[in-house]
Amino acid sequence: MSDIDTQRRDWHKNEAVRCFNSTWDLLEKTDRTEAENRQMIHMAHASRFHWGEIGTPLQFGRGEWQVSRVYATLGMGESALYHAKASLQCCLDNSIGSFDLAFAYEAMARAYSVSKNTEEMKRYLALGREAAAAIEDEGEKKYFLGELGNITG
């Protein structure tokens, strides 16, 4: 790999991580302005874009998950569902299981919750609980189940 290729990969990786973390900071902020909400959308998409340039299916799926989470947080069910489906499909197509598959189901449940589709929300909550059984790290499992428990319909 040439120096330019290495620099390009490093730049995309740094931007992907920076945008992902900045998006997460905004997701956790309780008093976002409308401008911050728009920034959060753009940052999540930017992170996914940069991973798309140099990442692996694992990062693609996580990026789609985060975009879905942003839209669900903002009450934009159709967009949340679009990206949740992309996250889930990425996991299924690439045999990505455990933590990431569980969170793909969580994204689906959350998107259906926001969309007021209780039947589908319940179905994906159940799939998420089933997938949680494969999460070996107890801390990750506890975190996941806490996130899943925050979904209401």
Side-chain angles (χ1 to χ4, degrees), residues 3 6 14 22 24 36 59 63-64 74 77 87 109 113 132:
D3 286 345
T6 300
N14 289 337
S22 294
W24 198 252
E36 289 171 323
Q59 285 98 14
E64 293 293 345
L74 297 175
S87 178
S113 173

Side-chain angles (χ1 to χ4, degrees), residues 17-150:
V17 170
R18 184 184 66 78
C19 290
F20 188 94
N21 291 339
S22 294
T23 300
W24 198 252
D25 290 343
L26 287 169
L27 275 167
E28 291 179 336
K29 188 174 180 184
T30 57
D31 59 343
R32 285 184 311 275
T33 65
E34 281 302 310
E36 289 171 323
N37 287 339
R38 284 188 299 277
Q39 181 183 15
M40 184 171 61
I41 291 168
H42 297 313
M43 294 292 280
H45 280 285
S47 177
R48 174 58 183 88
F49 166 78
H50 288 293
W51 281 124
E53 293 295 299
I54 52 96
T56 67
L58 181 65
Q59 285 98 14
F60 305 160
R62 288 178 180 178
E64 293 293 345
W65 171 86
Q66 188 182 56
V67 174
S68 177
R69 182 63 171 262
V70 165
Y71 283 122
T73 298
L74 297 175
M76 299 176 178
E78 186 176 340
S79 296
L81 185 57
Y82 178 85
H83 292 282
K85 286 178 179 179
S87 178
L88 179 57
Q89 196 62 52
C90 187
C91 288
L92 296 175
D93 288 350
N94 295 283
S95 301
I96 300 170
S98 188
F99 186 78
D100 290 279
L101 179 61
F103 265 103
Y105 289 135
E106 177 268 347
M108 293 290 292
R110 193 175 298 279
Y112 279 121
S113 173
V114 170
S115 299
K116 307 294 185 217
N117 186 332
T118 305
E119 184 177 316
E120 286 298 297
M121 178 200 71
K122 288 179 181 178
R123 182 165 85 89
Y124 283 99
L125 285 171
L127 288 168
R129 283 189 290 275
E130 287 176 28
I135 301 173
E136 293 180 12
D137 181 282
E138 286 303 316
E140 287 182 354
K141 186 183 291 187
K142 183 179 178 182
Y143 174 72
F144 169 76
L145 291 172
E147 289 296 304
L148 200 66
N150 291 332

